[in-house]
Amino acid sequence: MNSFRSIKPSTWLFYIGLVAACTSPVWGVAYFVNQDGSGHVQSAFLIGEILRGHPLITGIYALNSICVPNFSVHLILAVLLNLFSAFTTTKIVVCALFAGLVASVGWLRFATVGTEGLKTSLLIGAVIGFNWLWLVGSYNFIFSVIILTITLGIYWNWRERLNLVRAVALALLFAAAYFSHIIGFAILAGGALILAVNLRSELRYRAVAWTSACLVPFVPLAIWYRSISDDGSPALPVWRSLSDPYSLASWVTQFRSADAFLLISRTAFPFVEFRHIWFVIFSATFWMAAAFGILLFVTIRQVTVSKYLTSSYFSFAALFFISAVMVMIAPDDFGLSRGGIIRERIFICGLVFLVPLFRIGSSKTLERVAQTILLLVILFQSAAVWDYAIRADRSARAYIAAKSSVNEVSSIATITVYTEHPRFHSWPEPQLNLYNSIGNDVIAWDNYEQGHFLFPVRAGNKADKDFIFQLTTSNVFFDDDPEPVFAERLGRLDAALGADGGRIDAMLVLGGRPDVDAVVGRYFESEPIYRGENLRMFRRRK
């Protein structure tokens, strides 16, 4: 294994400066919030309250089975909440995950190749880190990618000399991946097995046997998880962007929809209010592809294809090819109640597999061109995150201003009406009020996590779970949606509120529209008990 002492001090400083610059938007505002991350922090708070035996919380919520993934970062959040505020905890985790992803990509390069191209790999790690799942707050998945990347680097050096001690260590790493995210775990398991299969025949069977032994304990866990998460609906693959498999235009849409690096709308530019179709030329994925294309060209000049096909690095080429195919043809999900965003997750992992493959040799000029492009992508994505952070901070302040009124009710939910589809992939507003419930005896019914079987905290009974799922899949509206789409969602919200059984004491509404207000008015008082910046709170009719 390569020694860390061979890494130049300038490379360590480059990493620190890169991470500090990329995460500066997080610390540059008072309240950095994201979409799903708000739900994760609130669930982490509930974990602590359940363990303390809080009667109000335990009367509604319960811990899920230990077989369920998505546990790891929730537990980290629960610990951090004992030391920091919910908003500071969010910042720490967001920055730690970004720094960890960049470091893990650098580690994979160092473990498989050495110091050649290490700074370029750190730049690749940064552009991979700026994916919209990170911005949205898919903490557990990002953590699983970090574990996946670190483990593959370790496995690369151990695969020919596996023994009992190393197998136990690998099993623990596999466990960390499993309890973070099932897709990250599955890709790690497949990646390790492909690395083992690509060994020489005299080493192959031993490596496959040890690796399989490490993975066997997770088979019953996965089966048990599948059994307890079955809600009775058919687990059928759904292609949400592929309307016609025989249409080339439909396949283009299918590929475009899997863009995991679309932090800001293709028609938007950071800090520019108007939108224009020509802003698409700044697409991060397009320029990432250009940089990777240059690195591929440089590599082909250094290493013949035949040499790669017969080398141990062929495993990573195979993993990248498989990932690319899956990004194109895989379904988006197997039903919304079972989670989703499959292809985007594969896309992120697939780019990780490229890191050990490129070679620079004497082509320093072309490497600098690729580095320059990667730096420009990082600058654009950083600007987008700054723009997002400032706007999200403004939204958070509006919700915090309502906290004193929220404390006066026993339970609450939110409805969000956007005038148009948001410019960023993360929409923090629908779950921002969850922060107001942290540390208070107020039940927030609009954390989507408790309406699924996928997370560590769930509603204690099926009726509450179904109500939360129905509410959180119908309480966000876009004024520019087609009328049939808007009306169908409004009908589902009306049904959810009509069936709430008195669960919701007050409703917090962001924005407004006459037809939405009419539905709210059927169940809540017409005069708000709180009115703030585009926010109104209505108490339930007696």
Side-chain angles (χ1 to χ4, degrees):
M1 182 178 293
N2 297 315
S3 171
F4 283 113
R5 287 177 294 182
S6 62
I7 300 177
K8 296 178 181 179
S10 60
T11 303
W12 292 106
L13 292 174
F14 180 80
Y15 165 73
I16 294 170
L18 180 64
V19 170
C22 292
T23 57
S24 60
V26 179
W27 298 102
V29 296
Y31 304 106
F32 186 91
V33 290
N34 46 31
Q35 185 175 328
D36 293 358
S38 304
H40 300 335
V41 173
Q42 196 250 5
S43 288
F45 164 73
L46 294 178
I47 289 175
E49 296 303 291
I50 291 169
L51 293 177
R52 294 183 186 97
H54 191 299
L56 177 64
I57 302 301
T58 55
I60 297 176
Y61 303 105
L63 293 179
N64 215 334
S65 167
I66 191 63
C67 298
V68 177
N70 290 308
F71 253 102
S72 60
V73 179
H74 281 82
L75 296 180
I76 294 171
L77 288 166
V79 172
L80 290 174
L81 285 173
N82 289 298
L83 304 171
F84 306 99
S85 70
F87 290 108
T88 300
T89 294
T90 298
K91 289 182 174 184
I92 291 171
V93 169
V94 167
C95 292
L97 289 173
F98 188 92
L101 188 51
V102 177
S104 68
V105 169
W107 155 250
L108 180 61
R109 175 70 182 188
F110 180 70
T112 54
V113 179
T115 58
E116 185 214 10
L118 189 52
K119 287 183 179 178
T120 302
S121 297
L122 292 173
L123 291 173
I124 293 173
V127 297
I128 294 175
F130 275 134
N131 62 81
W132 66 255
L133 285 98
W134 168 79
L135 184 65
V136 164
S138 296
Y139 300 150
N140 285 286
F141 171 70
I142 299 300
F143 193 45
S144 76
V145 177
I146 294 171
I147 296 166
L148 177 157
T149 310
I150 291 172
T151 305
L152 288 180
I154 293 173
Y155 189 86
W156 174 267
N157 288 284
W158 285 0
R159 69 197 191 284
E160 296 182 1
R161 304 182 305 278
L162 286 172
N163 54 36
L164 180 59
V165 174
R166 289 175 174 174
V168 170
L170 283 174
L172 291 175
L173 288 167
F174 287 146
Y178 176 86
F179 289 110
S180 295
H181 201 277
I182 194 68
I183 293 180
F185 167 76
I187 294 175
L188 171 59
L193 287 170
I194 287 177
L195 286 176
V197 168
N198 197 43
L199 287 170
R200 301 188 306 275
S201 57
E202 63 269 21
L203 299 171
R204 180 183 307 142
Y205 298 109
R206 177 183 174 84
V208 170
W210 275 114
T211 307
S212 299
C214 294
L215 293 170
V216 163
F218 300 100
V219 175
L221 279 178
I223 293 174
W224 191 4
Y225 166 57
R226 175 67 181 87
S227 67
I228 65 174
S229 63
D230 189 358
D231 62 357
S233 62
L236 299 175
V238 181
W239 286 265
R240 301 188 182 278
S241 303
L242 188 63
S243 57
D244 181 4
Y246 300 103
S247 166
L248 178 60
S250 186
W251 278 106
V252 171
T253 302
Q254 164 84 349
F255 181 72
R256 279 166 49 90
S257 66
D259 188 348
F261 304 95
L262 192 66
L263 302 186
I264 189 170
S265 168
R266 293 187 181 94
T267 61
F269 192 86
F271 300 105
V272 175
E273 293 301 323
F274 69 88
R275 300 194 183 193
H276 198 283
I277 187 63
W278 283 106
F279 286 146
V280 72
I281 65 175
F282 297 101
S283 170
T285 303
F286 172 80
W287 291 104
M288 287 166 62
F292 293 142
I294 292 171
L295 293 175
L296 175 61
F297 174 74
V298 170
T299 300
I300 292 174
R301 291 176 57 182
Q302 306 294 325
V303 184
T304 63
V305 174
S306 60
K307 184 176 179 180
Y308 251 130
L309 293 176
T310 58
S311 74
S312 53
Y313 291 100
F314 173 71
S315 302
F316 288 105
L319 286 167
F320 173 74
F321 177 77
I322 293 170
S323 299
V325 172
M326 294 301 292
V327 168
M328 282 294 298
I329 69 172
D332 293 281
D333 54 71
F334 290 85
L336 291 179
S337 64
R338 295 176 176 82
I341 318 176
I342 293 175
R343 295 187 298 130
E344 292 88 338
R345 301 182 200 274
I346 297 173
F347 191 178
I348 293 168
C349 296
L351 291 186
V352 169
F353 300 137
L354 277 178
V355 173
L357 295 177
F358 71 88
R359 296 293 180 271
I360 301 302
S362 59
S363 303
K364 299 298 182 182
T365 301
L366 287 175
E367 182 190 25
R368 291 190 188 95
V369 172
Q371 289 175 338
T372 300
I373 294 173
L374 293 171
L375 277 171
L376 291 174
V377 171
I378 290 168
L379 287 172
F380 178 83
Q381 298 288 68
S382 296
V385 176
W386 265 111
D387 189 7
Y388 169 83
I390 292 170
R391 294 169 190 261
D393 174 77
R394 190 181 306 135
S395 294
R397 291 175 187 272
Y399 279 83
I400 292 169
K403 186 171 183 176
S404 59
S405 297
V406 171
N407 291 344
E408 296 175 0
V409 301
S410 60
S411 60
I412 194 166
T414 59
I415 295 172
T416 305
V417 183
Y418 289 107
T419 56
E420 61 179 353
H421 277 74
R423 63 195 275 118
F424 303 101
H425 219 113
S426 178
W427 315 331
E429 290 82 7
Q431 297 217 94
L432 266 177
N433 192 55
L434 295 177
Y435 282 101
N436 286 337
S437 71
I438 295 174
N440 299 319
D441 289 340
V442 179
I443 298 300
W445 287 104
D446 46 359
N447 186 342
Y448 77 99
E449 291 192 20
Q450 284 102 51
H452 290 75
F453 293 102
L454 307 173
F455 301 98
V457 177
R458 58 177 174 80
N461 62 68
K462 187 176 186 302
D464 285 344
K465 177 261 178 190
D466 291 343
F467 170 72
I468 293 171
F469 182 82
Q470 187 177 12
L471 174 67
T472 56
T473 54
S474 63
N475 66 343
V476 180
F477 297 89
F478 304 98
D479 206 23
D480 55 352
D481 265 342
E483 190 58 34
V485 174
F486 196 102
E488 187 274 334
R489 178 163 292 195
L490 189 60
R492 287 192 286 116
L493 175 66
D494 194 359
L497 296 180
D500 88 332
R503 292 180 177 89
I504 303 173
D505 185 30
M507 181 65 74
L508 190 62
V509 180
L510 172 67
R513 207 173 104 150
D515 45 3
V516 176
D517 290 345
V519 169
V520 173
R522 292 190 190 122
Y523 309 98
F524 297 87
E525 299 288 349
S526 58
E527 285 300 315
I529 59 174
Y530 171 83
R531 188 185 295 273
E533 184 181 347
N534 206 26
L535 276 174
R536 296 165 295 156
M537 184 189 297
F538 301 91
R539 190 178 289 274
R540 189 169 191 85
R541 291 183 182 275
K542 301 299 184 182

